[in-house]
Amino acid sequence: MKRVYTVVSILFFSLVTFAQSGTRFMDNRPWQEVLQRAQRENKLIFVDCYTSWCGPCKQLATEIFPQEKMGEYLNKRFVNAKYDVEKGEGLAVGKQYEKEIKVFPTMLILTAQGEVIHKVSGCRPADELIAAIEEGLQGNTIYNLRKEYDRGNREWSFIQKFLHLLETASERKEYEKVAREYASRFPIDSLLNKDIWDIVGKFVIQTPFSPEFRFAVEHIDDLDSKGLVNRYQLESKLSEEMGFAVNSIFLVSNQKHSEDSLAKLQEKIDYLRTLLKKPVKGFPESLAELSIVESKIKNDTNQLYERLCVLVECGFANRDLFLSDMLKYLARNLNNEARLKRCINIAEYMKEISSKSSWVQEGFDEVITLANQKLESKK
């Protein structure tokens, strides 16, 4: 019994010591108290902005901030505060700094008057977090570098530093804007340069109608041979974005169009078709779907039916929503009894092999109901 008591005492003492050696926070205290203490102690303020549902926030709180090295670094330099910005005292803090808090967790470095001078986002190991905070204390903040960028600095070393800080602060939109602006100064084949690809590659493959996207599709072999991409991952991403593009055409096809809008839509279809003929994994499926959408836009119901049957027979039927909507269109517009029955058979088949989610099943059930109603009306 005495031995058990001793072990428990040692564990308790270790936990208490660990907690005391880590970061000491003013936990959800009134904001004015934090400001007053910082002014009294002539310190900067470190604020951990978190939410109760944020996993990385909990990891920071339980694994990073309690570490002795974090305590030694933060406690000496800052008045440390933390707020759940979705309740209590944190609501006002969250509202006051809402332009800075884009993701959780976000850590703000403030003057004793509450002016933001630096921020770091996301959970990271203690050494990396300390380095990111220290970088701001040395004057390398997005606020200072933004001013320098606006004054026209476009040196590569500066751009790299600015982009690094924007990424650290989770300023994704500004990162993309700066990266794109920098890359646009060079010919499009500069995408084969590692430095350029590293800063803009993840963005240029998200816009199928851009010349950069087309370049990536047409130069997969070059990007792969230079070691700039993982070919499998790049093809998957290109295919995913092309699928979204085809789906956007499909959604637009449900609207009424003037001759001018139809002509513009056809231009987009022709452009996508050209790209989708490239040997990229997943493109044949999107090309088949695009051909069906084109038939719908032309109100050619029989051609749509024939193409849809081929799509299913060839095993290209992998988007439940697309298929159920096309089958509904056919059920409403076909008059041929044999073809209506074929639509019912396809819907029943798709119910068996598709997701069992209620909205997916309900979509195919609606096809069956519509087609049966049409058949009943013919008797």
Side-chain angles (χ1 to χ4, degrees):
M1 182 68 182
K2 185 176 181 180
R3 182 179 298 172
V4 173
Y5 175 78
T6 302
V7 171
V8 172
S9 298
I10 291 172
L11 288 173
F12 178 75
F13 178 76
S14 298
L15 289 171
V16 171
T17 302
F18 182 62
Q20 289 177 342
S21 65
T23 309
R24 296 190 296 274
F25 283 100
M26 296 180 71
D27 189 355
N28 287 286
R29 300 297 301 161
W31 183 235
Q32 283 304 314
E33 285 187 21
V34 176
L35 292 174
Q36 289 168 7
R37 179 175 169 184
Q39 291 164 17
R40 186 170 62 250
E41 297 181 8
N42 193 28
K43 285 184 175 180
L44 296 173
I45 303 170
F46 176 87
V47 186
D48 172 30
C49 302
Y50 68 93
T51 66
S52 60
W53 46 264
C54 166
C57 300
K58 293 175 182 177
Q59 188 177 356
L60 268 179
T62 59
E63 299 178 19
I64 308 302
F65 289 137
Q67 292 183 33
E68 184 175 355
K69 66 174 71 176
M70 286 303 308
E72 287 182 354
Y73 180 80
L74 292 175
N75 296 338
K76 290 178 183 178
R77 294 166 176 79
F78 304 96
V79 169
N80 303 306
K82 62 179 180 178
Y83 292 94
D84 182 335
V85 297
E86 293 185 336
K87 63 184 180 183
E89 297 290 338
L91 287 170
V93 175
K95 185 170 181 58
Q96 183 172 346
Y97 297 104
E98 61 183 346
K99 290 183 179 179
E100 307 297 340
I101 304 172
K102 307 288 179 63
V103 298
F104 295 104
T106 288
M107 290 149 279
L108 303 175
I109 309 298
L110 314 172
T111 66
Q113 288 69 42
E115 179 184 357
V116 180
I117 59 175
H118 189 46
K119 70 173 178 176
V120 180
S121 299
C123 180
R124 58 192 71 209
D127 289 337
E128 289 185 21
L129 180 54
I130 290 171
I133 296 169
E134 188 64 24
E135 197 166 25
L137 296 184
Q138 299 303 319
N140 294 320
T141 72
I142 58 173
Y143 308 98
N144 291 339
L145 270 62
R146 186 180 286 144
K147 292 176 184 177
E148 191 171 345
Y149 182 82
D150 290 341
R151 287 195 294 266
N153 190 338
R154 296 297 185 272
E155 292 183 6
W156 174 234
S157 59
F158 167 76
I159 292 295
Q160 283 181 303
K161 185 189 297 183
F162 189 26
L163 289 173
H164 168 69
L165 288 178
L166 289 171
E167 190 167 32
T168 298
S170 294
E171 292 286 353
R172 295 189 180 95
K173 288 185 179 179
E174 189 172 3
Y175 179 104
E176 180 175 354
K177 177 176 178 290
V178 172
R180 283 185 180 278
E181 285 179 355
Y182 183 79
S184 68
R185 302 166 65 210
F186 306 98
I188 194 166
D189 60 4
S190 67
L191 288 171
L192 295 176
N193 176 286
K194 186 177 187 308
D195 288 335
I196 300 299
W197 181 264
D198 283 348
I199 66 170
V200 298
K202 54 190 167 188
F203 302 122
V204 301
I205 58 175
Q206 293 177 350
T207 312
F209 294 100
S210 72
E212 294 87 358
F213 186 96
R214 182 167 190 150
F215 182 88
V217 170
E218 294 175 344
H219 292 82
I220 289 179
D221 290 339
D222 296 325
L223 291 166
D224 183 37
S225 65
K226 287 177 176 289
L228 301 181
V229 299
N230 175 302
R231 187 187 186 97
Y232 174 80
Q233 291 177 352
L234 177 59
E235 289 198 3
S236 295
K237 184 61 179 174
L238 292 171
S239 179
E240 178 185 356
E241 295 300 332
M242 286 297 277
F244 290 145
V246 171
N247 191 55
S248 71
I249 300 289
F250 160 57
L251 294 174
V252 170
S253 73
N254 294 320
Q255 304 170 7
K256 291 184 178 180
H257 296 280
S258 64
E259 288 187 12
D260 287 344
S261 65
L262 277 175
K264 290 179 181 177
L265 194 58
Q266 189 62 50
E267 284 181 13
K268 288 186 174 182
I269 290 171
D270 293 340
Y271 175 83
L272 291 178
R273 182 185 293 110
T274 300
L275 281 189
L276 287 169
K277 289 180 179 178
K278 303 295 182 182
V280 177
K281 184 178 180 180
F283 275 22
E285 290 87 341
S286 290
L287 181 59
E289 291 182 354
L290 184 66
S291 69
I292 293 173
V293 173
E294 188 174 20
S295 298
K296 182 173 181 290
I297 292 171
K298 293 177 179 178
N299 292 317
D300 192 334
T301 305
N302 290 323
Q303 185 186 70
L304 192 159
Y305 168 81
E306 291 165 0
R307 288 178 171 178
L308 184 67
C309 288
V310 171
L311 179 73
V312 174
E313 289 167 3
C314 291
F316 283 175
N318 57 8
R319 286 208 299 130
D320 300 331
L321 180 60
F322 176 86
L323 281 167
S324 63
D325 279 356
M326 286 302 177
L327 286 168
K328 288 175 197 174
Y329 174 83
L330 289 173
R332 294 188 185 99
N333 292 280
L334 282 173
N335 290 307
N336 181 282
E337 184 175 333
R339 293 192 167 189
L340 283 168
K341 289 181 178 178
R342 174 66 172 145
C343 287
I344 292 172
N345 290 337
I346 292 174
E348 289 175 339
Y349 168 71
M350 292 309 304
K351 278 188 67 178
E352 289 297 318
I353 68 170
S354 298
S355 164
K356 300 307 176 184
S357 300
S358 59
W359 64 271
V360 172
Q361 296 291 304
E362 288 168 4
F364 291 118
D365 283 338
E366 187 177 348
V367 173
I368 295 168
T369 300
L370 287 170
N372 277 322
Q373 287 175 346
K374 181 71 73 70
L375 289 171
E376 284 294 322
S377 69
K378 289 182 172 296
K379 291 181 179 179

